[in-house]
Amino acid sequence: MAKANTNNVSIANVISMLGLAGVAVITFFGILLGSADGAIGTAALLAAALAAVLACLLVVSMKAKAADDNRDKWRIVEIATLAAYIAVALMFSTPLHRFFYVKSQQQQLQQQARQEISDIQQLYADYEQQRKAALDNAVQQMTNYQNSKTKSMSMDAYIQKMHVDEKWAAKADKLTKLRSDAELKQLAQSVEDFKLLSLAQTAARLAEKDSTAYLDVMQKIQANQAEHDLIPRFVNDAAGAYTQDGFAQINIQRAPQPRLQPALQKASGSTAISWIVMVVLHMLILFSYVVTRHSDIVGPSQKNGPKGGLDL
């Protein structure tokens, strides 16, 4: 086995630990990027579990290689353990590849997120455009009625109830206007920053914002009518008689659809750099196995020879 230093940890052990740390960190980010909620704890536990399994297989393979008794049986264990190591490394390499694939697709992913944000902004813009047009029409019709000589019970009732005066239009505009969405601005900045640690959380928040933005607008329309009696719809017939005919219709078709989150979860491709990094990291991990010496005990048909391996 590789020679230990004064702290009972060899240079080969340090190299293997660095390899394990590299696999764990990149796997952590890969799992995190593919998660639905961007939960750091879950990704950390899964990455640590993979590193622990690889470490156990490494230790067993080193022990089997250096075993003194039952050499033939330990040889089987050694080969089986190495095969298991390779299988585990390949089977659970998807997060590692995802990490580098996401990095290579940064511009495309950002464009998807920008479009998603634009869809939400368009939802707000559609409401504002229809709201403003409906309110301008209501104000104009109210002005026309007040300047006319006709009388209408429904119009007079509305004027009395809403205390319609010269400030009514400004009050109605303030009551029906949407508040600025500060969270959406933060999400837009997060997309531009493209920090891998928080990218999945940004995607999850955007996906939630798609539905909550739509619900906020629909609730705003309902609140305008139920709480403020806005925005009224005034009509006049051919004879010039004015009436209040319910409320103006604001049509919002549907909620925006998530774009960034599904794009991240489907990002399962690989790149040349991901394969290179994967091979290098696992070579570092297995370095302790490579330099571990075979046992001096040999079979009856074999001759004793010098130990193999390298002291590090």
Side-chain angles (χ1 to χ4, degrees), residues 249-263:
Q249 295 298 310
I250 296 180
N251 297 314
I252 305 298
Q253 296 299 322
R254 62 186 181 91
Q257 299 302 302
R259 293 175 180 267
L260 179 59
Q261 188 178 58

Side-chain angles (χ1 to χ4, degrees), residues 106 110 113-114 117 182-203 205-206 260:
Q106 176 174 342
Q110 284 180 312
R114 293 185 189 114
I117 291 171
E183 184 185 17
L184 189 60
K185 294 179 181 179
Q186 295 174 357
L187 290 172
Q189 185 59 54
S190 296
V191 168
E192 298 308 317
D193 294 340
F194 207 78
K195 294 180 180 179
L196 297 183
L197 188 62
S198 58
L199 187 59
Q201 291 180 346
T202 298
R205 288 169 60 197
L206 262 179
L260 179 59

Side-chain angles (χ1 to χ4, degrees), residues 73-111:
K73 293 181 180 179
W74 277 113
R75 181 64 175 168
I76 295 174
V77 173
E78 180 184 352
I79 295 173
T81 305
L82 288 176
Y85 181 97
I86 295 172
V88 170
L90 290 174
M91 288 174 59
F92 297 96
S93 64
T94 298
L96 184 146
H97 290 303
R98 181 186 291 118
F99 171 82
F100 290 99
Y101 184 77
V102 167
K103 286 294 294 180
S104 70
Q105 297 293 309
Q106 176 174 342
Q107 292 185 355
Q108 292 88 331
L109 291 169
Q110 284 180 312
Q111 186 56 39

Side-chain angles (χ1 to χ4, degrees), residues 7-198:
N7 293 322
N8 203 31
V9 178
S10 70
I11 296 176
N13 295 152
V14 173
I15 292 173
S16 292
M17 286 189 287
L18 289 175
L20 282 169
V23 169
V25 170
I26 297 176
T27 297
F28 162 76
F29 278 105
I31 295 173
L32 188 66
L33 290 170
S35 65
D37 56 2
I40 292 176
T42 301
L45 286 174
L46 292 175
L50 175 61
V53 170
L54 293 177
C56 288
L57 291 172
L58 173 65
V59 170
V60 173
S61 66
M62 292 168 60
K63 177 177 176 60
K65 185 177 181 180
D68 291 334
D69 56 341
N70 297 316
R71 186 70 207 123
D72 292 339
K73 293 181 180 179
W74 277 113
R75 181 64 175 168
I76 295 174
V77 173
E78 180 184 352
I79 295 173
T81 305
L82 288 176
Y85 181 97
I86 295 172
V88 170
L90 290 174
M91 288 174 59
F92 297 96
S93 64
T94 298
L96 184 146
H97 290 303
R98 181 186 291 118
F99 171 82
F100 290 99
Y101 184 77
V102 167
K103 286 294 294 180
S104 70
Q105 297 293 309
Q106 176 174 342
Q107 292 185 355
Q108 292 88 331
L109 291 169
Q110 284 180 312
Q111 186 56 39
Q112 291 275 11
R114 293 185 189 114
Q115 184 59 55
E116 188 172 349
I117 291 171
S118 178
D119 291 344
I120 297 172
Q121 292 172 333
Q122 186 60 51
L123 171 71
Y124 294 150
D126 288 345
Y127 169 79
E128 282 298 311
Q129 182 180 16
Q130 294 182 60
R131 178 196 72 86
K132 191 69 167 61
L135 186 58
D136 287 347
N137 181 66
V139 171
Q140 183 61 54
Q141 292 290 72
M142 175 63 74
T143 301
N144 292 343
Y145 170 74
Q146 290 177 322
N147 292 334
S148 71
K149 295 181 180 180
T150 61
K151 290 297 180 181
S152 166
M153 292 182 62
S154 66
M155 295 293 289
D156 289 343
Y158 188 85
I159 290 173
Q160 184 177 3
K161 179 180 180 180
M162 299 300 294
H163 304 288
V164 175
D165 55 19
E166 67 277 1
K167 297 181 180 180
W168 174 73
K171 293 177 181 178
D173 181 69
K174 183 178 181 180
L175 287 172
T176 57
K177 185 178 295 185
L178 286 172
R179 282 189 260 179
S180 177
D181 193 335
E183 184 185 17
L184 189 60
K185 294 179 181 179
Q186 295 174 357
L187 290 172
Q189 185 59 54
S190 296
V191 168
E192 298 308 317
D193 294 340
F194 207 78
K195 294 180 180 179
L196 297 183
L197 188 62
S198 58

